[in-house]
Amino acid sequence: MGTRITNWFSRYWKRKTDQPDYRQAYVKLPLDTELPPLAVEFERVCEGRLDRVPRRDSLVIDTDFVPEERFDAERFDELVAELKARVPRRYILHDSTKWRRHDGGMAKMHTVVPVKRLYSVEEGDETAAHESVRKRPR
């Protein structure tokens, strides 16, 4: 029983202090944009530990579990910010993070996916569209 509590506390502490043992990323880059060339940058972040999967309408970058010391977290955050800045207006960038157990440690998993908007947005209505989505009840 003591080992289970110790393991639970260790996992909890790593999440709260943001100190994962591993990182993993799933990034989808639509082909009808200027984003696919950024795949090379993601390869540098993960030191080549990724798979590029071409799809009909996108390029998917799926990394292996990369040890934290080999993952360039600062550059990854910069790339996500660059994606947000360069994503066309017809897309909204979905960015989420989850924690999972992996190999006796904790892995922080990043998902970055541009999603097409359901409705077109005019110049002045963009902030109203974001606010209405945020205020929607769950």
Side-chain angles (χ1 to χ4, degrees):
M1 182 80 167
T3 305
R4 290 176 63 198
I5 293 172
T6 304
N7 289 343
W8 175 86
F9 184 73
S10 173
R11 289 190 307 268
Y12 176 79
W13 182 256
K14 286 180 182 185
R15 279 185 295 197
K16 291 301 176 190
T17 59
D18 196 26
Q19 297 177 356
D21 298 314
Y22 301 96
R23 297 262 188 152
Q24 184 182 26
Y26 176 89
V27 181
K28 183 177 179 183
L29 304 172
L31 292 177
D32 63 346
T33 64
E34 298 174 0
L35 301 177
L38 289 176
V40 175
E41 294 297 321
F42 283 105
E43 189 166 1
R44 290 185 187 134
V45 167
C46 302
E47 294 187 2
R49 295 177 155 202
L50 58 84
D51 296 323
R52 291 185 198 177
V53 182
R55 302 273 170 93
R56 180 175 48 96
D57 60 345
S58 62
L59 176 65
V60 174
I61 299 165
D62 192 15
T63 68
D64 298 333
F65 286 96
V66 180
E68 175 65 19
E69 49 281 345
R70 297 186 72 185
F71 189 88
D72 189 358
E74 290 177 16
R75 182 63 184 138
F76 181 79
D77 292 338
E78 290 173 4
L79 280 173
V80 171
E82 186 176 344
L83 274 173
K84 286 181 182 178
R86 291 178 55 182
V87 70
R89 296 192 65 230
R90 64 183 177 271
Y91 289 96
I92 296 174
L93 193 70
H94 171 74
D95 179 16
S96 69
T97 304
K98 297 199 182 220
W99 289 81
R100 300 275 191 249
R101 294 183 204 176
H102 179 73
D103 257 358
M106 291 298 292
K108 189 173 185 180
M109 303 171 68
H110 304 276
T111 303
V112 181
V113 180
V115 180
K116 277 193 177 179
R117 297 175 185 259
L118 291 176
Y119 303 101
S120 63
V121 177
E122 301 300 324
E123 281 294 320
D125 295 342
E126 186 171 342
T127 57
H130 283 290
E131 288 177 10
S132 65
V133 170
R134 289 183 189 144
K135 292 180 181 176
R136 190 175 350 150
R138 294 187 184 249

